Amino acid sequence: MENFLFDAFLKNKIKEIISRKNSCIASAFLGFGSEKNIPDSSRVICDIGMGGTNANSLIEIRKKLGNDLRWISAFHPKVYLSDLGCIICSANLSNNGVGFLGQNGLIEVGVFHEYGSSVYTQAKDWFDKCFHQALPVSNVEIDIACRT
């Protein structure tokens, strides 16, 4: 089953998916509020150098996830996976994209795919490949995020 999601439907479904144990998060930018919404058992890939990742959020997420927080240069996807399914969308894991702190001004859309579907399986395989190629976020990347 696929569903086209927008507005609050999309934002609530992203929050639901990432709240699950062992969620997989591929988001170009990690913004303010994301650190409070990512469970300890998650795996996360983001970008550091484009300037959209909040340095304080990155620090808190790294404390929580350790080497399960990784980065790839010029990484721009937004894919969220868990045992509830998969969302492929335009929304970064940030207040602007998901609305952690309330209503935001960005219009976001995405498509939900149920757990075990062909698209889910392809997205999970893609995520796993990217995760193994990505580098753990170190103090060097934290410094870069602080400067951008």
Side-chain angles (χ1 to χ4, degrees), residues 2-144:
E2 297 177 334
N3 289 316
F4 181 75
L5 302 173
F6 56 95
D7 298 335
F9 299 107
L10 173 65
K11 294 165 187 182
N12 290 336
K13 193 67 170 178
I14 291 171
K15 291 174 189 174
E16 183 182 13
I17 284 178
I18 67 168
S19 72
R20 304 291 285 200
K21 285 185 176 183
N22 303 315
S23 62
C24 298
I25 299 166
S27 178
F29 308 135
L30 304 174
F32 189 70
S34 63
E35 70 279 2
K36 295 178 182 134
N37 290 278
I38 298 173
D40 295 351
S41 59
S42 301
R43 294 187 300 154
V44 176
I45 309 168
C46 66
D47 177 83
I48 304 296
M50 287 190 274
T53 292
N54 180 285
N56 292 325
S57 296
L58 197 64
I59 290 166
E60 294 303 314
I61 295 167
R62 189 177 77 160
K63 285 179 189 175
K64 190 185 290 193
L65 300 182
N67 286 338
D68 285 336
L69 172 60
R70 300 194 178 188
W71 71 280
I72 297 173
S73 181
F75 192 74
H76 205 251
K78 291 88 175 170
V79 179
Y80 306 98
L81 300 118
S82 76
D83 62 352
L84 294 177
C86 167
I87 293 178
I88 302 168
C89 63
S90 61
N92 282 299
L93 196 63
S94 64
N95 184 53
N96 283 337
V98 181
F100 292 125
L101 305 176
Q103 191 66 28
N104 63 52
L106 297 179
I107 298 169
E108 306 283 3
V109 298
V111 178
F112 170 80
H113 301 273
E114 68 183 14
Y115 179 81
S117 70
S118 173
V119 171
Y120 177 93
T121 301
Q122 291 172 47
K124 181 69 167 67
D125 290 346
W126 168 84
F127 179 90
D128 290 341
K129 180 180 175 186
C130 288
F131 188 81
H132 292 296
Q133 293 173 348
L135 299 171
V137 172
S138 71
N139 288 336
V140 171
E141 287 76 40
I142 299 288
D143 289 342
I144 291 168

